[in-house]
Amino acid sequence: MISWGSDTGFEYSIFGTIIVAGFVSFFFWRNRTRRRTLRMREDGMYVWIEWPSGERCSPDDPSAPGGEWDSEGDGDGGDGGDGGGD
């Protein structure tokens, strides 16, 4: 990351950049895994793989606007929990 100090000027931290890149990569991977594994069971429940808790389910499509993955739909940040049980 880039920081400023009055005595040193601009400084670049490769370690900070690696940490931020790791977090960004993880969130992209997590969202891609969710979307790739989303399916509908015979009983009409939507099921997907969520890290780290494993299989999650919901009676409504979580990828739809206002669904569990929609960060603007319900105000919970888009990381909603288990909408139903097995």
Side-chain angles (χ1 to χ4, degrees):
M1 302 306 297
I2 298 175
S3 64
W4 169 260
S6 61
D7 56 340
T8 59
F10 284 106
E11 292 182 356
Y12 178 76
S13 170
I14 189 72
F15 182 71
T17 303
I18 290 172
I19 296 291
V20 170
F23 278 111
V24 169
S25 297
F26 169 74
F27 287 111
F28 278 118
W29 171 80
R30 183 188 68 169
N31 288 335
R32 182 173 178 248
T33 301
R34 281 200 266 199
R35 295 185 187 286
R36 282 185 37 228
T37 60
L38 180 63
R39 63 183 170 84
M40 186 187 291
R41 291 191 313 208
E42 300 83 31
D43 61 357
M45 292 291 283
Y46 287 90
V47 180
W48 68 94
I49 303 297
E50 183 79 48
W51 188 89
S53 58
E55 192 172 270
R56 310 286 295 272
C57 58
S58 172
D60 302 314
D61 185 355
S63 64
E68 292 186 49
W69 301 346
D70 184 13
S71 62
E72 298 176 10
D74 54 10
D76 71 349
D79 294 324
D82 197 357
D86 286 314

